[in-house]
């Protein structure tokens, strides 16, 4: 299903390409990697959750096209992601979305240098659709296949809007499934300093939004409700964690739930905007506190924010303000690249490709995988 969420950005240097050429599959086994310094055009494929996305990116920084079909509206009917629905929508949309991305870039499959695909982490059935599709394309076109870690992709979303940005920098990657404080040492070198010990930040927003009957996805719904609320209305606890750069959101979520239940038991009216604002304030403060503690510890000069939760205006504002106060540079993912997209996968795919991280025909998808691990090449590439 292609929804109004679709985005297609045209390449200004567009060459005229007939769409029927786009998915013509020429079998050619001369997929030889370009030299390290030469720019490369990567087709990225992303299907780890509910977005079916494809994009064409040049040298990891310049987006030539980006197409997205999302099943989020259908998922919202169920109050969250139903994995089987996500997989089924991916398989229906993937060919058309990939064709859109190539056409948007004015390129044919033969014009690209490699196919990059999210191979971990994510919903396994959803990942398998993208991996299998990318594998088919790479095999048929004789192009290298580059597996990409989804969270590395979120980090790479920063290069799309800040082409001059180069590691090292400290990045908070906050999404629906993960919450990591990462020292980005190089384009393919990551050190995870801390993480959530329970719920991810986006997951906490989603769960509290469900309790408040604000709908799915919860992050934007809470942010919207919070606009009319007093952030000091309800007092919420700051969860304790053993490790300096870890965070926890499960107790916060329970505290919000207790407020809702107590109001119901006492017959008091719940101040929904007040609770949304208090919760958002607390989550943003916890994330910002840890990010700047990690910056002080590592001596990082640049702090960055990426992932779906990076769309949160309060969190962005807090990080910008505190970076200014601390004399640090703040780099925030552009809103259109905060949620899942394939431009970020193609961007990271470029750096993995440059590093020689290519896969072979037996590439598999993995539901969980640390972001500082490499995909094991068990066989010769295509
Ligand atoms: O990165 P993403 O698109 O998908 C995953 O990889 O999980 O992140 C989705 C998450 C959802 O939990 C959603 O509620 C959250 O990002 N989110 C937000 C906002 N927009 C999306 N959280 C807080 N504030 C927002 N404005
Ligand atoms: Zn994501």
């Amino acid at each position: 299903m292609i929804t109004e969420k679709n985005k297609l950005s045209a390449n200004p240097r567009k060459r005229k390409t007939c769409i029927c050429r786009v998915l013509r599959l020429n079998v050619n086994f001369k997929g030889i990697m370009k030299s390290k310094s030469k720019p490369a055009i990567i087709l990225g494929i992303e299907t780890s959750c509910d977005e079916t996305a494809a994009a064409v990116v040049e040298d990891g920084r310049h987006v030539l096209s980006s197409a997205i079909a999302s099943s989020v509206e259908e998922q919202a009917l169920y109050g969250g992601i139903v994995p089987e629905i996500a997989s089924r929508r991916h398989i229906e949309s993937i060919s058309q979305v990939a064709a859109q991305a190539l056409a948007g870039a004015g390129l044919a499959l033969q014009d690209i240098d490699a196919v990059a695909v999210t191979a971990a982490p994510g919903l396994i059935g959803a990942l398998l659709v993208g991996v299998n599709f990318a594998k088919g394309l790479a095999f048929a076109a004789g192009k290298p296949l580059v597996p990409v870690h989804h969270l590395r992709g979120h980090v790479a979303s920063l290069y799309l809007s800040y082409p001059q940005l180069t590691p090292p920098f400290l990045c908070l990657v906050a999404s629906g499934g993960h919450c990591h404080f990462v020292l980005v040492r190089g384009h393919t070198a990551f050190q995870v300093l801390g993480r959530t010990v329970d719920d991810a930040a986006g997951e906490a927003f989603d769960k509290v939004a469900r309790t408040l009957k604000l709908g799915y996805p919860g992050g934007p719904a809470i942010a919207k409700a919070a606009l009319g609320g007093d952030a000091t209305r309800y007092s919420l606890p700051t969860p304790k964690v053993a490790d300096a750069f870890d965070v926890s959101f499960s107790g916060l979520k329970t505290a919000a739930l207790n407020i809702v239940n107590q109001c119901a038991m006492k017959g008091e009216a719940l101040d929904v905007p007040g609770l949304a604002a208090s919760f958002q304030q607390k989550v943003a403060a916890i994330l910002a506190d840890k990010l700047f503690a990690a910056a002080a510890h590592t001596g990082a000069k640049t702090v960055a924010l990426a992932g779906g939760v990076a769309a949160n205006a309060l969190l962005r504002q807090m990080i910008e303000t505190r970076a200014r106060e601390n004399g640090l540079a703040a780099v925030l993912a552009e809103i259109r690249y905060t949620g899942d997209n394939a431009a970020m996968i193609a961007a990271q795919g470029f750096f993995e490709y440059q590093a020689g991280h290519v896969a072979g025909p037996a590439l598999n998808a993995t539901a969980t995988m640390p972001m500082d691990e490499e995909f094991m090449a068990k066989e010769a590439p295509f």
Side-chain angles (χ1 to χ4, degrees), residues 62-224:
H62 308 295
V63 182
L64 305 187
S65 68
S66 178
I68 304 179
S70 175
S71 62
V72 69
E73 284 166 22
E74 191 178 356
Q75 307 284 0
L77 300 175
Y78 301 92
I81 306 286
V82 180
E84 185 180 336
I85 292 179
S87 306
R88 289 182 180 279
R89 297 304 161 256
H90 288 319
I91 210 147
E92 285 165 8
S93 305
I94 187 79
S95 305
Q96 204 181 340
V97 168
Q100 274 190 331
L102 285 167
L107 297 174
L109 190 53
Q110 284 306 323
D111 299 326
I112 61 155
D113 293 289
V115 180
V117 62
T118 306
L123 303 172
I124 192 63
L127 286 167
L128 285 169
V129 174
V131 167
N132 207 27
F133 182 81
K135 200 184 280 190
L137 277 190
F139 174 72
K143 303 289 180 182
L145 177 66
V146 183
V148 173
H149 191 288
H150 183 77
L151 298 186
R152 291 188 181 199
H154 274 302
V155 172
S157 70
L158 298 162
Y159 307 128
L160 301 173
S161 311
Y162 301 87
Q164 309 305 326
L165 176 68
T166 45
F169 57 89
L170 180 67
C171 187
L172 163 57
V173 187
S175 70
H178 300 86
C179 185
H180 281 19
F181 297 89
V182 192
L183 188 58
V184 183
R185 292 185 177 279
H187 287 112
T188 60
F190 302 84
Q191 182 185 350
V192 179
L193 302 171
R195 54 170 60 80
T196 178
V197 296
D198 40 54
D199 293 347
E203 189 181 358
F205 273 107
D206 294 338
K207 287 178 176 171
V208 170
R210 191 180 307 164
T211 304
L212 297 178
K213 300 190 172 50
L214 293 173
Y216 179 86
I222 295 240
K224 193 170 165 208

Side-chain angles (χ1 to χ4, degrees), residues 46 48 150-151 154 175-176 307-308 338-340 344:
E46 155 66 37
S48 67
H150 183 77
L151 298 186
H154 274 302
S175 70
T338 53
D340 289 347
M344 67 186 199

